[in-house]
Amino acid sequence: MALNTGWSGSPALKKRFIIASLAALTIFVLLFLRLWYLQIIQTDTYQALSEKNRTRYIPIAAPRGPIVDRDGHMLVDSRPAFRIAALRQEVEDPEKLLARLSELLDLDLATLQQRWAAGRRFPRYRPVPLADDVSRRALEQVMEHSFELPGILTEVRPVRFYPYGKSAAHLFGYLGEITEKELRTAPYQIYRGGDFVGKNGLEKAIEPYLNGIPGERRVEVDVKGKKLRILKTQEPIPGNRVTLTINRDLQLATEAAFGDQAGAAVALDVHTGEVLAMVSNPGYDPSLFARGITGKEWVELLQNHLDPLQNRALKGQYPPGSIFKIVTALAALENGQTTAHTKVNCQGQLTVGNRSFRCWKKGGHGITNLKKALKESCDVWFYEVSQQVGIDRIAAMARRLGLGAPTGLGLAGERKGLIPDQQWKQQKFNDRWYRGETLIASIGQGYILTTPLQLATMMATVANGGNVLRPHLVKRIEDMAGNVQLEPKPQIMQQAHLDQAQLDTLRQGLKAVVNEPHGTAWMSRIKELPFAGKTGTSQVVHQRTRRKQDVEIPYRLRDHALFTAYAPASNPEIAVAVVVEHGSHGSSAAAPIARIMFESYFKLPPPASIASEGE
Amino acid sequence: MFDRRLITHFDWPLLLLVVLTALIGIFNLYSATSSGSSLAFPVYLKQIYWLGGGILLAAIVSVIDYRHLQHLGFILYALTLLLLVAVLLVGKTSMGATRWLDLGVFNLQPSEIMKIVIIIALACYFARQDTLAAYSLSDLWLPFLLLGLPALLIMKQPDLGTALIVLFIGFTMILFAGIRKGTLAALAVLAAGGAGGGWFLLHDYQKQRIMTFLAPERDPLGSGYHIIQSKIAVGSGGFFGKGFMQGTQSQLSFLPERHTDFAFSVFAEEWGFCGSLLLLCLYLLIVIWGIYVARNAADLFGTFLAFGVSAMLFWHIVINLGMVIGLLPVVGVPLPLFSYGGTSMITTMLGAGLLLNVSMRRFTF
C-alpha cells in the first residue's frame, strides 16, 4: 500500500482531473444548448408536427343529389352502403388477411388482392377499400370475426339507389372511381383518390351540381391510426336536387313497349325542347355500378353484341329511311317546281340513266301526289321530284331542320349524324356526286345518318312551325334548402325558316299517314287523338336484291324500323322518334311504340283493338 | 477489517443522487407505459424491483474492499472474455443479434459485464505501472489489446452501442493515464484511418443508422422514424412541458421504444425544458461526483476505478441523450437509471457500488 501513497497531491494529476471535469461540463453544455434549441427556439415547429401527428381528418362522403322526374317522382336516390376497407399500417400479413376475408365473405381473392395493391398509392393511414356495398350479413361476419382480421374496418358511405331499376339507366349514367388522369384535370381538383364521380350520362354532365361537399371529422388517433376520440365534426352538405324534364310514366311506358327489342325512343315537348322520355334498349342495371361492378360483369356488358352500355338515342346513327321524305318534301316545295298537286305515276320503279330504282311497293302506287306519296310512302314520287331539287338543296333543308349536327343535349358522346352533299362527296371520296345518289338520298338511304334524338328534334320543329329547339333534360336544380341553382330556359338553336303554307301541306300528308286508310301507320292510329307521323325503314343490307319473307332473314340483316310523329295533329304538344333495330318495318314495329307513348302521355285508356281491323 | 469509519465516511450524497434520479426514472416509466398493453406486472413496478436489487447489489459491492479487486482484475477479465467467446459459439439469438448466454434461470449478457470488468482490468494495469509519466505507444500495447479483444467480440455479435461504450471507457482511461503528445497525434491519425476502414466492417443496418442520422428525412417512416418522432416529442414539450401523462407523442405511441432507449424523450415532452434541465444537472452532478471520488481516492487503483466508472456513466448519458435529441446516430445505448431494463440497472448499480466503495475508503491506507 505504501507504494501508492504520496501521489494524490501531485499537480499533474490535479490538472488531469480539472481537464476531465471541464470536458464533461462542456459536453453537457452542448446537450443543454441543443435542448434549448429544440424546446425553446423550435418548439412551435415541433408542437405543430406533434399536433399533425395526433389528429386525422376523416372525410365524410356527402350524399349525391337526388334526381326526380318533372313531377317530383324520385328516379335516382342515395342510400347508405357498407364498405370493407383495410388500414395498411395495421395489416401485418396481407396475404393471410385477404385469404381469410375472401373465405368469410365469399369474395373473389384475386379482386381483393388487386384492390389491395391499388391502395399502395394512398397514404398509410388511409383505409384501402376492398369490397363495396357488402350485405348486412357480410358486415356482421366481419364484425364477428374482427379479431381474425386485424386492420379491417367498415365504413358507411352513400351510394346510388335506383327505385325503377334499369329504367333510364343511359340517361343517368353511372359513377366510377375517379381515375388518376381525371384527378389531374381542372374540374376534378377538389376531388381525392377513391372518390366516385359521374362517368357518363347526367351523372357526368352535371357532376358539379350532384356532388355534395364532403364533411370532415377531426379525430385524435394513436400511432396505429386507431380513433381515440372525435375532436370536431363538420357535417357534409348533400348534392343538389335535380328535377328532370322526364315524365316518369311516359318513360316507363316506352320502356315497357320496347320489350326485348333493341332500339331507342325520344319524346320531346315541341314548344320547349324538354326531353319527356329517352329510352335506349337494351339497358343495363345501374345498381351494378353503385355496388361496385365486378370484372366479370363488366366484361359481359362490354362483350354483349347488343352493346347495352350505349345510349342509342344520341349515339346510335341510323339511315332515316322514308322519314327523310319530310326533308325532301319541304325542299321540293320550297324549290317551287313541285307543289302539293305534282303528280307522278308510280309503276313500282323508276329508270334513270341505265339504272332502275325500285319503289318498296312492287306493283307501284299509280298516280300519286305529295299527300299520297307521304301517306303510302311512295318512293318513286320522291325519286322524280328530287332530281329537280338536287342534293345540295335537300341537304340544306336537312341542316335547317337540325340534322347533320349534334342537337346540343349536353350529354357526352352525342353523334352528329351525316348529311351528304356534293362538296362532302368530293372531299370524302374525291369523286363527283351522281344523280342516282340523289334519288337514294331522297328516301333517306345511302350515306345519310341520323340519331333518334335528331329525328325527334326535327319532328318537333315541323310541329312547332319551324323553331329548332335545343333538347334539354334538366328542368331545375335546387339545393336542399330549395334555392334554385339552375333553371334552363327553352333555347332555340336556329330557325328553319319554313313557309307556313308549305309546312301545312306537309303536315296534312303526315296526318294522313296515321289517320287515313292505306296510310303506313293506319294500324297505330288513336281514334280519340289524331296524330301525325312518318314511318321509315332503313336498309341494313345495301343491295335490296332479296325478296324473301322477313321472318326468314337473319336478325342481323333485317331492316331497322323507324317512326317519328307528333301529337295532337293540330296544336301539337309532343314529338317522338322511335327506332327499332332490325324491326323490319316502321309501320309494324316502331309506330305501335309511338302510339303507346302518346296514350301514356295523354293518359288515354288502354287501346281498343285496332290491330284486328287490318290494313 | 470492517471499520466504523467506513460508515461515517459513507458517501450519502452520491447514493442520494443515484436513487433520486432512478426514482424520477420510475415515475417517468409509469407515464411512458400507462397507455400501452395492460400487463399484469407493469414495467414501472419491475423497474422498482430492479432498483431495489440494484441498491442491494451496490451495498454488497461497497462493503468488500475494492483493493481485493486489484488481485482479481486480470482473472475477471479472462473469464469475461471467455464468456464473450462463448456467446459467439453458443449464444442465444434474438432479433438478429447474439448477445445472451442462456443460463436457464436468466439470460446473461457478458458484454454488459465487460463494461465493468474492462474498468477493473485497466485500473489494475495502470495502478501497477505506478507512474504519472505520460505513456508512449510502445507502453500501451497491452491496454489496447485488453480493450481491442472484447470490443471486436462485441462488434461481432453485433452490438455497436456496447462495443463503442467499451472502447470509449477504455480510451478515456488511457487518456487519463497520460499519453505523450506525439503518441496522441499518431493515435488520432490511426483512429481516423480506423474509422474509415471500420465503415466497411459495419453491418448494413449499422451503416443505415448512421446515414439516417445524417439525413433522417430520407426515410421518415422507416429508419428515420425514431429520430424524427423523438425530436418532435422533445421539441413539442416546450418550456413547461405537456404535463405528466399528457405527452401526446408518448401516450399515443408515436414515440417508439419510449420505455427503453427513448425514455428521456417522454420526460422532455411531459416536463419540458425545465424538467430536461433538472435531469441534465442531476446527471452532470453524478459524473462530476464520480470524478471527485476518483480525485480523492486513497490509491491509484481507486482513482482509476472511480474514474473509469465515471467515464462509463458519462458516455452512456451523453450517447443516449445525444441520440434522442438528434445529435448522434441511433445506437442502442440506454440512459442509466432512466431506461427500463434490469441489465442496465445492474451495470449502473455495480458501478455506483464501486464508486461508493472507493469513496468510503478515501482515508484508508
Side-chain angles (χ1 to χ4, degrees):
Chain A
M1 299 292 162
L3 281 176
N4 286 342
T5 56
W7 51 267
S8 64
S10 144
L13 204 58
K14 202 173 173 182
K15 196 177 142 201
R16 286 177 203 175
F17 280 120
I18 290 168
I19 291 171
S21 301
L22 283 179
L25 189 65
T26 309
I27 288 179
F28 268 78
V29 166
L30 259 171
L31 293 174
F32 165 83
L33 288 175
R34 175 66 173 180
L35 282 168
W36 176 276
Y37 173 78
L38 288 178
Q39 297 192 292
I40 308 288
I41 296 173
Q42 288 283 313
T43 186
D44 288 346
T45 310
Y46 287 111
Q47 266 165 11
L49 285 171
S50 154
E51 194 62 20
K52 200 174 132 203
N53 248 348
R54 78 177 180 109
T55 50
R56 295 268 183 282
Y57 290 93
I58 296 174
I60 314 171
R64 262 177 108 74
I67 299 176
V68 300
D69 87 335
R70 60 189 301 121
D71 301 314
H73 298 116
M74 186 63 73
L75 298 179
V76 183
D77 204 354
S78 285
R79 64 172 173 83
F82 303 105
R83 168 188 264 185
I84 291 174
L87 204 55
R88 274 206 299 148
Q89 54 191 8
E90 278 188 39
V91 175
E92 279 158 14
D93 186 350
E95 282 306 311
K96 203 175 130 198
L97 181 77
L98 296 181
R100 184 76 185 114
L101 203 61
S102 144
E103 189 181 296
L104 266 178
L105 304 180
D106 197 24
L107 293 169
D108 180 35
L109 182 59
T111 311
L112 287 178
Q113 285 166 335
Q114 209 178 330
R115 301 201 65 177
W116 169 261
R120 296 236 171 92
R121 62 196 160 93
F122 297 155
R124 278 169 63 84
Y125 54 80
R126 183 89 175 276
V128 179
L130 293 177
D132 286 310
D133 202 11
V134 298
S135 66
R136 210 167 266 278
R137 214 190 71 83
L139 193 72
E140 281 161 11
Q141 283 277 337
V142 168
M143 288 177 164
E144 205 174 303
H145 295 267
S146 58
F147 60 93
E148 292 173 58
L149 303 165
I152 289 293
L153 48 91
T154 54
E155 296 175 326
V156 186
R157 61 183 191 96
V159 299
R160 279 308 201 191
F161 171 63
Y162 304 90
Y164 297 102
K166 290 166 81 164
S167 178
H170 301 95
L171 207 54
F172 307 138
Y174 50 82
L175 302 171
E177 208 171 315
I178 193 162
T179 61
E180 293 200 36
K181 200 176 145 196
E182 282 170 329
L183 272 173
R184 283 194 296 270
T185 56
Y188 295 106
Q189 260 167 10
I190 55 162
Y191 294 77
R192 305 150 54 123
D195 281 351
F196 275 70
V197 292
K199 290 292 182 183
N200 49 32
L202 276 168
E203 297 274 26
K204 181 177 181 176
I206 50 171
E207 166 73 34
Y209 290 104
L210 289 170
N211 185 48
I213 300 165
E216 204 169 55
R217 189 165 288 148
R218 204 174 139 209
V219 294
E220 186 176 73
V221 296
D222 65 10
V223 68
K224 289 180 174 175
K226 193 154 85 197
K227 280 177 231 171
L228 300 178
R229 64 195 165 111
I230 297 166
L231 300 172
K232 198 180 156 198
T233 303
Q234 168 108 43
E235 293 298 338
I237 299 168
N240 293 297
R241 178 185 166 95
V242 175
T243 304
L244 296 184
T245 57
I246 294 291
N247 176 323
R248 176 197 63 172
D249 296 334
L250 177 59
Q251 179 78 23
L252 291 174
T254 311
E255 284 164 357
F258 263 93
D260 295 336
Q261 303 173 99
V266 176
L268 298 176
D269 182 312
V270 301
H271 299 300
T272 59
E274 289 176 344
V275 179
L276 300 168
M278 184 179 271
V279 172
S280 177
N281 223 31
Y284 59 89
D285 184 359
S287 60
L288 294 183
F289 293 92
R291 66 149 164 76
I293 192 163
T294 66
K296 199 178 143 216
E297 288 164 341
W298 177 242
V299 169
E300 268 172 25
L301 279 175
L302 287 181
Q303 287 180 346
N304 187 328
H305 72 280
L306 288 176
D307 201 2
L309 289 173
Q310 165 156 284
N311 186 352
R312 291 167 154 80
L314 48 123
K315 292 181 186 174
Q317 302 189 101
Y318 305 90
S322 297
I323 288 176
F324 198 72
K325 289 170 182 170
I326 292 171
V327 177
T328 311
L330 284 173
L333 288 169
E334 195 176 77
N335 195 36
Q337 285 163 287
T338 307
T339 68
H341 310 294
T342 303
K343 290 185 177 64
V344 169
N345 186 5
C346 169
Q347 293 174 317
Q349 64 172 56
L350 181 71
T351 307
V352 175
N354 55 3
R355 257 188 87 183
S356 79
F357 295 84
R358 281 202 189 94
C359 185
W360 66 268
K361 194 170 175 185
K362 207 178 173 186
H365 292 91
I367 302 294
T368 304
N369 62 8
L370 170 58
K371 188 177 165 187
K372 189 180 174 186
L374 284 169
K375 186 179 86 173
E376 299 183 24
S377 206
C378 172
D379 294 337
V380 170
W381 191 91
F382 287 94
Y383 293 154
E384 278 291 359
V385 302
S386 68
Q387 292 179 68
Q388 294 155 14
V389 184
I391 185 61
D392 284 358
R393 286 197 193 88
I394 293 173
M397 176 56 73
R399 294 197 189 99
R400 275 158 64 191
L401 290 166
L403 301 181
T407 62
L409 179 72
L411 295 188
E414 189 189 348
R415 307 296 292 269
K416 64 183 171 99
L418 175 63
I419 298 300
D421 59 13
Q422 294 190 45
Q423 197 193 345
W424 172 84
K425 179 83 188 287
Q426 194 65 42
Q427 280 175 358
K428 179 89 178 173
F429 296 106
N430 195 24
D431 194 3
R432 68 180 183 87
W433 184 271
Y434 297 97
R435 208 149 63 124
E437 289 174 322
T438 305
L439 271 62
I440 300 283
S442 74
I443 62 160
Q445 309 285 5
Y447 303 115
I448 302 177
L449 292 172
T450 55
T451 67
L453 182 61
Q454 285 174 328
L455 292 178
T457 310
M458 179 187 80
M459 209 50 173
T461 306
V462 168
N464 68 29
N467 292 331
V468 181
L469 292 159
R470 179 188 198 137
H472 61 276
L473 279 162
V474 174
K475 198 169 178 59
R476 193 168 52 248
I477 297 178
E478 55 207 325
D479 66 17
M480 283 296 150
N483 303 312
V484 174
Q485 308 286 310
L486 185 75
E487 195 161 21
K489 296 275 169 285
Q491 195 183 341
I492 297 170
M493 296 286 280
Q494 64 193 51
Q495 292 285 347
H497 298 297
L498 302 174
D499 177 84
Q500 194 57 47
Q502 292 167 6
L503 190 59
D504 284 343
T505 305
L506 171 80
R507 284 160 60 156
Q508 278 163 24
L510 296 179
K511 190 177 173 187
V513 168
V514 184
N515 298 291
E516 291 183 14
H518 303 297
T520 51
W522 166 249
M523 275 168 69
S524 297
R525 73 193 181 281
I526 303 172
K527 273 177 186 155
E528 305 90 319
L529 181 87
F531 65 90
K534 183 73 198 82
T535 54
T537 302
S538 73
Q539 295 171 6
V540 171
V541 177
H542 220 65
Q543 285 298 89
R544 201 169 181 182
T545 50
R546 54 190 157 80
R547 283 288 180 214
K548 290 181 185 172
Q549 286 296 304
D550 279 346
V551 279
E552 296 170 25
I553 301 166
Y555 173 82
R556 236 169 7 90
L557 303 178
R558 280 182 222 163
D559 294 339
H560 294 320
L562 293 88
F563 187 63
T564 178
Y566 56 82
S570 48
N571 283 326
E573 294 173 29
I574 172 175
V576 304
V578 178
V579 175
V580 178
E581 287 182 7
H582 312 295
S584 292
H585 292 298
S587 52
S588 57
I593 292 176
R595 185 188 69 193
I596 292 170
M597 291 170 78
F598 290 144
E599 280 164 355
S600 165
Y601 184 74
F602 292 103
K603 298 193 168 49
L604 298 174
S609 186
I610 298 174
S612 61
E613 290 180 26
E615 198 166 346
Chain B
M1 174 91 207
F2 197 80
D3 201 326
R4 273 186 67 85
R5 283 185 302 173
L6 291 182
I7 296 164
T8 42
H9 291 141
F10 187 79
D11 199 341
W12 293 107
L14 179 63
L15 186 66
L16 200 73
L17 275 175
V18 167
V19 173
L20 182 64
T21 310
L23 285 177
I24 296 174
I26 286 163
F27 202 50
N28 184 56
L29 281 180
Y30 179 81
S31 173
T33 55
S34 63
S35 65
S37 50
S38 49
L39 292 168
F41 207 56
V43 163
Y44 75 93
L45 206 59
K46 284 194 200 167
Q47 186 78 341
I48 288 175
Y49 290 132
W50 282 118
L51 177 63
I55 291 171
L56 201 68
L57 191 70
I60 294 165
V61 168
S62 60
V63 166
I64 304 159
D65 194 333
Y66 68 91
R67 277 164 286 208
H68 296 299
L69 288 173
Q70 200 166 357
H71 311 294
L72 294 171
F74 293 118
I75 297 164
L76 283 174
Y77 177 84
L79 282 175
T80 314
L81 207 59
L82 272 177
L83 287 177
L84 280 175
V85 173
V87 164
L88 289 184
L89 297 178
V90 296
K92 192 175 151 226
T93 305
S94 154
M95 295 194 290
T98 313
R99 298 174 185 173
W100 299 269
L101 282 176
D102 192 350
L103 298 186
V105 194
F106 64 100
N107 292 325
L108 188 71
Q109 195 177 338
S111 57
E112 282 293 324
I113 302 173
M114 187 47 93
K115 286 177 183 171
I116 296 290
V117 170
I118 193 73
I119 295 169
I120 299 171
L122 286 175
C124 278
Y125 176 80
F126 289 119
R128 280 187 190 198
Q129 302 306 310
D130 196 28
T131 173
L132 290 176
Y135 292 87
S136 69
L137 202 55
S138 54
D139 306 319
L140 288 173
W141 68 270
L142 189 60
F144 278 123
L145 189 70
L146 289 177
L147 200 51
L149 280 176
L152 270 176
L153 287 170
I154 296 167
M155 275 281 256
K156 202 102 174 76
Q157 291 179 353
D159 186 352
L160 186 64
T162 308
L164 282 177
I165 289 283
V166 168
L167 283 176
F168 283 5
I169 293 169
F171 286 141
T172 313
M173 289 181 74
I174 292 169
L175 273 177
F176 181 74
I179 300 180
R180 283 185 193 160
K181 284 204 180 88
T183 309
L184 192 62
L187 276 178
V189 172
L190 215 68
W199 176 259
F200 299 102
L201 292 175
L202 290 179
H203 282 255
D204 279 342
Y205 86 94
Q206 290 165 335
K207 287 183 188 170
Q208 186 66 34
R209 279 180 179 181
I210 292 171
M211 292 306 291
T212 300
F213 161 68
L214 295 173
E217 292 75 18
R218 285 199 330 170
D219 185 10
L221 291 174
S223 47
Y225 184 80
H226 287 53
I227 291 182
I228 291 172
Q229 294 301 333
S230 178
K231 275 160 79 176
I232 291 174
V234 173
S236 66
F239 190 80
F240 290 110
K242 295 178 184 171
F244 184 57
M245 298 193 46
Q246 299 296 314
T248 53
Q249 281 292 103
S250 46
Q251 301 301 329
L252 304 177
S253 314
F254 290 101
L255 193 62
E257 310 200 18
R258 55 196 178 281
H259 62 289
T260 55
D261 288 358
F262 288 86
F264 177 78
S265 311
V266 177
F267 189 77
E269 184 187 21
E270 296 188 346
W271 299 97
F273 183 69
C274 299
S276 313
L277 191 60
L278 173 83
L279 202 64
L280 209 59
C281 289
L282 277 175
Y283 279 121
L284 181 62
L285 263 175
I286 291 174
V287 172
I288 297 290
W289 201 280
I291 296 172
Y292 175 76
V293 169
R295 166 83 176 79
N296 292 327
D299 55 13
L300 205 52
F301 180 62
T303 295
F304 275 102
L305 207 56
F307 188 82
V309 171
S310 303
M312 177 184 84
L313 293 174
F314 173 81
W315 285 118
H316 271 105
I317 294 161
V318 167
I319 291 175
N320 179 278
L321 293 186
M323 165 179 104
V324 304
I325 61 182
L327 283 176
L328 293 173
V330 175
V331 285
V333 171
L335 184 60
L337 307 171
F338 223 69
S339 294
Y340 169 73
T343 311
S344 168
M345 183 63 91
I346 296 297
T347 312
T348 306
M349 294 314 276
L350 269 175
L354 287 176
L355 281 181
L356 290 170
N357 195 334
V358 174
S359 182
M360 63 205 271
R361 293 185 173 81
R362 59 190 180 275
F363 301 118
T364 315
F365 299 106

